[in-house]
Amino acid sequence: MSVPKSFYESVFKENVISQWNSCYQISHYAKFTKEFFPSIPGRLKSIHFIPNFRITQFITGHGNFKAYLKRFNLSRTDLCGIGSSGGIRDVNHLILSCSKFTPAKMFTHQQFEEEQCSMPSIFLYFGPEQKLFCIIL
């Protein structure tokens, strides 16, 4: 009796993912990404997560954020300067406290309340037109 090729492929895939996850866990890099995706298998199970340029900037922290740009002398300041929220303009600031996105956050909360749903754990907001892009983990 022969073993189907698909069995070997699935075993190989499991081993690769396991080794990848082991390296990911012990790595000193990707600290910010690990806050969104603590493990590789967990990330791979997020079937509704479709990365794009902006989302990748947010989950890595490497993007067009004043805090990141200042590290490379591409911005004179790392402060937000929008409204009264103040603070260093990094990903956490934009998600949690930047007043620029307060209307979009309030609208989203209202929509979830109307649908009688609980609010997902993480939302990301972008754009001068208050367009909403999100990651739901």
Side-chain angles (χ1 to χ4, degrees), residues 7 9 17 23 25 29 38-39 56 58 61 64 73 83 96-97 108 110 112 115 121 126:
F7 173 78
E9 289 172 346
I17 291 171
C23 291
Q25 296 300 322
Y29 300 104
S39 72
T56 300
F58 262 80
N64 192 18
N73 294 320
L96 301 173
S97 60
T108 304
Q110 180 183 2
F112 276 94
E115 297 293 325
S121 57
F126 301 98

Side-chain angles (χ1 to χ4, degrees), residues 4-29:
K5 181 181 174 186
S6 61
F7 173 78
Y8 291 112
E9 289 172 346
S10 67
V11 169
F12 178 75
K13 182 178 178 179
E14 286 177 23
N15 285 333
V16 168
I17 291 171
S18 176
Q19 289 176 12
W20 182 14
N21 191 53
S22 295
C23 291
Y24 181 71
Q25 296 300 322
I26 62 171
S27 174
H28 297 293
Y29 300 104

Side-chain angles (χ1 to χ4, degrees), residues 25-75:
Q25 296 300 322
I26 62 171
S27 174
H28 297 293
Y29 300 104
K31 290 178 184 176
F32 195 78
T33 305
K34 288 176 186 174
E35 291 182 28
F36 290 96
F37 300 110
S39 72
I40 298 301
R43 161 55 189 98
L44 295 174
K45 288 178 185 173
S46 302
I47 58 173
H48 299 293
F49 174 74
I50 301 170
N52 62 36
F53 178 71
R54 289 187 173 221
I55 297 292
T56 300
Q57 288 184 55
F58 262 80
I59 64 171
T60 62
H62 298 174
N64 192 18
F65 313 111
K66 285 189 176 184
Y68 184 72
L69 297 175
K70 187 171 189 281
R71 288 176 49 196
F72 301 102
N73 294 320
L74 297 172
S75 175

